[in-house]
Amino acid sequence: MALRSALWTVMTGAAQKAARALKRDFGEIEQLQVSQKGPSDFVSAADLKAEKVLRMELAKARPRFGFLMEESGEVSGEDKHHRWIIDPIDGTTNFLHGIPHFAISIGLEMDGEIIAGLVFNPITDETYYAEKGKGAFLNDKRLRVSSRSNLADSVIATGIPFNGRPGHKPFLKQLERVMGAVAGVRRMGTASLDLAYVAAGRYDGYWETGLQPWDIAAGIILVREAGGFITEANGGKDIMKSGDVVAANPKIHKQLLDIVVAA
Ligand code: IPD
Ligand code: CA
């Protein structure tokens, strides 16, 4: 079963267009790994280019909507109710290192609530898409979160603070507790895909703190529409503000939350 709405057409069209250049740029990365300067300037340029294409295409289709973008920040629109929340390359470190696990992430917010989300991995050609009340999809397939009810059988993904970001010590405590209770912990480095994988039932759960709105906007609705629960680490609902996320299937969400939060 597929979901082919007007919004789907707009969002996939923009993502596909931005991805064409991104894929070419990713192909160049391997060569750049060995250059003196390294590929980071090249990646910043690829990032900006992709954001520009996304913004142009989305504005063409919905000229009055505002934007919140990782690279260019906030741009308010005439329509104060709607804004696109965009990460042109989520998983920049992977991209930079030639690791084929990154995504374009586009969320659409209406009056503070995410009503549509798309996460596109151009390398695997996987489009994860959800709209409020209409379900979550991977390409043409309807998504459901996993049905595992035992943490001991569950695979849980996470994100590790890096490069001077705060929270290293509390994270290590959380990790110690979670790894003692589950079948495996994964750290793949792309928050939007982590949430998409929870929606797809590949991961049973995921937690991370200190995320930005563009990392999670699209993933939030993917998880919800696939039947999963997503809250802050303290159980609260203000995920977009705090950037703290615990997402899981409904059977293990509370168990995961309890372990992550335990003092
Ligand atoms: C990052 C990725 C990563 C997460 C970081 C994010 P970026 O986004 O989503 O998985 O652990 O917190 O900043 O910088 O690659 O767009
Ligand atoms: Ca990101």
Side-chain angles (χ1 to χ4, degrees), residues 16-235:
Q16 295 274 353
K17 188 152 188 193
R20 282 199 278 277
L22 265 192
K23 264 177 99 165
R24 276 197 304 275
D25 291 339
F26 186 70
E28 299 282 314
I29 288 287
E30 264 186 335
Q31 273 84 306
L32 288 166
Q33 298 295 342
V34 291
S35 79
Q36 269 277 312
K37 204 170 170 194
S40 52
D41 292 356
F42 181 83
V43 171
S44 309
D47 220 348
L48 283 170
K49 198 162 57 185
E51 189 169 281
K52 208 169 142 197
V53 174
L54 291 168
R55 187 177 164 185
M56 248 169 47
E57 291 302 306
L58 294 171
K60 226 191 272 170
R62 297 288 186 276
R64 291 161 45 81
F65 288 11
F67 287 91
L68 176 65
M69 296 163 286
E70 181 176 20
E71 305 301 327
S72 325
E74 175 119 44
V75 176
S76 61
E78 278 171 46
D79 178 336
K80 302 293 174 213
H81 300 285
H82 293 89
R83 67 173 182 172
W84 300 108
I85 303 177
I86 296 177
D87 195 342
I89 308 179
D90 186 32
T92 322
T93 307
N94 285 343
F95 190 94
L96 181 68
H97 287 255
I99 299 168
H101 190 80
F102 58 89
I104 290 171
S105 175
I106 308 172
L108 177 61
E109 192 183 61
M110 187 177 86
D111 297 324
E113 187 191 5
I114 307 296
I115 57 162
L118 175 140
V119 175
F120 178 51
N121 179 342
I123 303 303
T124 57
D125 207 17
E126 286 178 317
T127 303
Y128 300 86
Y129 182 77
E131 245 177 75
K132 194 179 169 199
K134 296 186 180 165
F137 298 82
L138 164 50
N139 297 337
D140 286 340
K141 205 180 97 209
R142 181 96 192 226
L143 294 181
R144 288 294 304 169
V145 292
S146 78
S147 57
R148 277 187 198 87
S149 51
N150 275 332
L151 259 189
D153 302 327
S154 297
V155 169
I156 304 296
T158 188
I160 303 173
F162 53 90
N163 233 351
R165 287 193 185 194
H168 290 204
K169 283 215 171 106
F171 173 78
L172 287 172
K173 287 204 175 126
Q174 289 170 349
L175 180 62
E176 191 172 15
R177 288 193 298 268
V178 174
M179 71 196 211
V182 305
V185 177
R186 300 287 180 269
R187 195 302 189 239
M188 301 281 277
T190 304
S192 58
L193 283 174
D194 290 333
L195 288 167
Y197 278 28
V198 172
R202 294 174 179 170
Y203 295 147
D204 303 292
Y206 160 70
W207 94 99
E208 183 164 355
T209 56
L211 291 159
Q212 298 296 327
W214 43 82
D215 299 322
I216 50 181
I220 289 173
I221 190 156
L222 281 167
V223 170
R224 289 203 175 124
E225 287 294 323
F229 287 175
I230 177 163
T231 64
E232 291 177 271
N234 64 9

